[in-house]
Amino acid sequence: MDALPPPSTMADTLLSAAATAARLPYPELAAEIAALLADDTVVVPPRLVQPLPGGGSLFVMPAHDATVAITKLITFTPANAGSARATIQGDVVVFDIATGTRRLVLDGPTVTARRTAAVSLLAAQRLAPRPDGALLIVGAGVQGRAHLEAFAAGLGVKEAWICSRSAASAQGLAAHARSLGLAARVVDDPAAALAHCPLVVTATPASAVVLDAAPRSDAFIAAVGAFTPRMVELGAQMCRELHARGTVVVDTGDAGHEAGDLLQAGIDVAALPALAAVLAGEPVRPPGPVLFKSCGWAGWDLAAARLAVRG
């Protein structure tokens, strides 16, 4: 990793959501994530997830490499879905290891959205049989928007199909897709859209199954909404069929106790390959459909911090 720039003033270290996003362009962030996975100085302890009254959670996620140390501190409040309040709120604090100096405070929801989408982008770049799309997005919230932008910027996707329980949100994301130069349509039945879309992203609150149908044989599905054993987006039969017919890859080994979709389908998640192993091997696209199950990891936030401090 390159040397850090000189210390900034306190006003310069606290970045807004827009300033945080400006330092984390999707293709560059995907490349930084790949570099982090090959860096043997990276240390990522288990994250602390503290349940809160009312169904929310407090996440404390530290990580470091030889130069930078971070702590991501966020709340996840599912009850905020559909309101003016974000479901994820908080910050990522970045420190210079050599001096102990606080270098940056990044907007936590922005980092979460962009690094999650960049991880999916990296997986799609390496694994998707048809990386140019069309793209089906199920869930038109923050993660749906981030994945739309990431796949357009990093894969050259030109067509997006949008499905959401909120018609207004779906129309809004479709309008955003058109502003990026994509053809876009809103659909009511995501299962029917699977026949047309070789790229699929599920990015919902994961409170219920939203897809349980056979995908195309050349499909790449990134399932990012469910990150606890009780959460679910993909039906059990769909997960088992993808496991039997194609390839299932998880973001990290932590998915062994977090990937609700796969755990509820009775799949031995601990036996599945993780993204780091895929990147370390020969760049061969597997036959059949691919499911990439992403649960989140502080290493992705560290990759974002490494890129942001160079910006």
Side-chain angles (χ1 to χ4, degrees), residues 48-130:
L48 185 154
V49 182
Q50 177 62 44
L52 300 175
S57 301
L58 173 69
F59 288 72
V60 183
M61 302 169 63
H64 71 84
D65 61 13
T67 307
V68 170
I70 69 146
T71 296
K72 182 178 182 181
L73 183 65
I74 58 170
T75 55
F76 172 63
T77 310
N80 286 349
S83 75
R85 294 182 297 274
T87 57
I88 294 176
Q89 301 174 66
D91 301 294
V92 178
V93 186
V94 187
F95 297 94
D96 175 18
I97 288 178
T99 65
T101 306
R102 187 187 72 178
R103 304 307 306 249
L104 291 173
V105 180
L106 304 172
D107 180 70
T110 302
V111 171
T112 300
R114 294 183 82 86
R115 58 79 147 158
T116 304
V119 171
S120 296
L121 169 60
L122 176 60
Q125 287 171 334
R126 304 301 176 93
L127 294 169
R130 289 277 306 276

Side-chain angles (χ1 to χ4, degrees), residues 120-180:
S120 296
L121 169 60
L122 176 60
Q125 287 171 334
R126 304 301 176 93
L127 294 169
R130 289 277 306 276
D132 56 342
L135 168 65
L136 168 64
I137 298 179
V138 185
V142 171
Q143 282 292 351
R145 182 185 179 101
H147 278 75
L148 172 73
E149 294 172 347
F151 280 38
L155 295 177
V157 167
K158 298 299 183 185
E159 181 182 356
W161 295 40
I162 314 295
C163 181
S164 173
R165 63 183 181 181
S166 165
S169 296
Q171 292 291 350
L173 187 56
H176 181 57
R178 296 183 190 108
S179 76
L180 299 176

